[in-house]
Amino acid sequence: MVKYIKDYIKNRNIVVGCTNNCAYCYARINNQRFHEIPDFSKPVFFERKLKMLDKKTPGNYLLTGMSDLADWKDEWKEIVLKRVKENPQNIFIFLTKSPERLELHIDTDNAWFGVTVTCKADINRIQKLKKNVHGGHFIVTLEPIFEDLGELNLDGIEWIVIGTETGKRKGKIDTKPEWAFHIAEQAQKMKIPVFMKEDLYGILSEEEMIQEFPNKFVKIEV
């Protein structure tokens, strides 16, 4: 059975807003629909939401579902990472498209940092993440994918997520099966767990889907 990633990793949108202005951005569309902030290009920190990070029942949480970590002000990062350290029972995930704008030193084992790669021009983000974030664990999310990415240097990466573009954007590019398989094969050779997101179902058959989580993640029964 195909697993839905949202059942295993919950969004906790402490910051809403992003300066990347990606044409395929679902977060900006969600903000237009629900009007959480007036201008999505100007990120807002919701300090009142910090209490959501204190759940005593262990869980996995994505903190950048509606933002990019590189856009967070230094004081926001400091406050949130302090809370992350205070809650070692939980796993916290941060994603960025601009790792060159980060400079982080992490001394807790429950923080995971990832970059989004969509095309060959983005691949250097992987090395920039490892250069600029010291400590924690590393993820690469490959969604949406716009071309065959070729050979990837996945040294030090502990989880790979593969997906496709969602929505009905004009010019939308669906991930091709061979692109997804090429990435997964490289990860599997290095014993890196791979999670193919449910939006690939239909592009891939249920039997072809690989849906693995890192051993360090909290085990969730659904």
Side-chain angles (χ1 to χ4, degrees):
M1 178 179 291
V2 173
K3 299 175 182 177
Y4 290 83
I5 201 166
K6 63 182 177 61
D7 292 332
Y8 298 84
I9 300 175
K10 302 299 184 182
N11 280 345
R12 295 292 182 260
N13 296 313
I14 306 299
V15 175
V16 175
C18 178
T19 63
N20 288 317
N21 197 32
C22 300
Y24 54 83
C25 181
Y26 71 88
R28 184 176 64 248
I29 293 172
N30 283 348
N31 187 68
Q32 290 170 349
R33 181 181 178 188
F34 296 109
H35 308 290
E36 190 155 9
I37 62 173
D39 185 347
F40 194 70
S41 67
K42 297 178 180 178
V44 176
F45 178 53
F46 291 89
E47 192 163 4
R48 60 180 171 78
K49 294 184 179 182
L50 285 171
K51 61 184 179 182
M52 296 192 300
L53 309 187
D54 300 333
K55 295 287 186 180
K56 298 308 176 188
T57 301
N60 308 299
Y61 299 102
L62 172 64
L63 302 189
T64 52
M66 292 284 286
S67 66
D68 184 312
L69 181 61
D71 285 333
W72 289 25
K73 295 181 180 179
D74 288 342
E75 56 264 35
W76 303 350
K77 293 196 287 276
E78 183 177 348
I79 291 169
V80 172
L81 288 171
K82 179 176 183 293
R83 207 66 163 242
V84 166
K85 187 173 182 178
E86 292 169 351
N87 288 278
Q89 75 279 9
N90 296 320
I91 297 294
F92 297 100
I93 302 166
F94 304 84
L95 301 178
T96 183
K97 291 182 174 72
S98 302
E100 69 277 0
R101 294 197 281 133
L102 293 176
E103 183 59 45
L104 294 174
H105 295 266
I106 313 302
D107 61 352
T108 179
D109 194 50
N110 61 333
W112 291 66
F113 299 89
V115 287
T116 299
V117 173
T118 66
C119 60
K120 289 181 179 178
D122 296 339
I123 291 175
N124 62 359
R125 292 175 180 173
I126 300 172
Q127 301 310 313
K128 289 178 180 178
L129 177 74
K130 293 188 290 185
K131 178 182 177 182
N132 293 341
V133 177
H134 309 277
H137 303 271
F138 297 128
I139 297 169
V140 178
T141 66
L142 304 113
E143 53 170 334
I145 308 173
F146 297 134
E147 61 181 332
D148 184 354
L149 297 173
E151 299 301 313
L152 302 172
N153 180 354
L154 300 177
D155 289 340
I157 303 302
E158 297 183 57
W159 194 34
I160 296 290
V161 178
I162 306 172
T164 191
E165 184 174 353
T166 57
K168 300 178 180 180
R169 179 179 70 90
K170 183 178 180 180
K172 174 184 172 185
I173 299 175
D174 290 325
T175 296
K176 292 184 178 181
E178 58 266 29
W179 301 348
F181 293 147
H182 191 197
I183 296 163
E185 288 167 2
Q186 293 178 69
Q188 289 179 320
K189 285 180 180 178
M190 299 185 67
K191 302 189 183 309
I192 302 170
V194 173
F195 192 96
M196 293 177 170
K197 292 182 71 173
E198 60 275 5
D199 47 52
L200 285 169
Y201 186 56
I203 296 174
L204 305 180
S205 69
E206 186 168 328
E207 291 73 25
E208 291 172 321
M209 297 282 280
I210 304 167
Q211 296 187 311
E212 304 165 331
F213 292 96
N215 289 332
K216 287 180 178 287
F217 275 27
V218 175
K219 304 292 188 297
I220 305 293
E221 297 296 333
V222 177

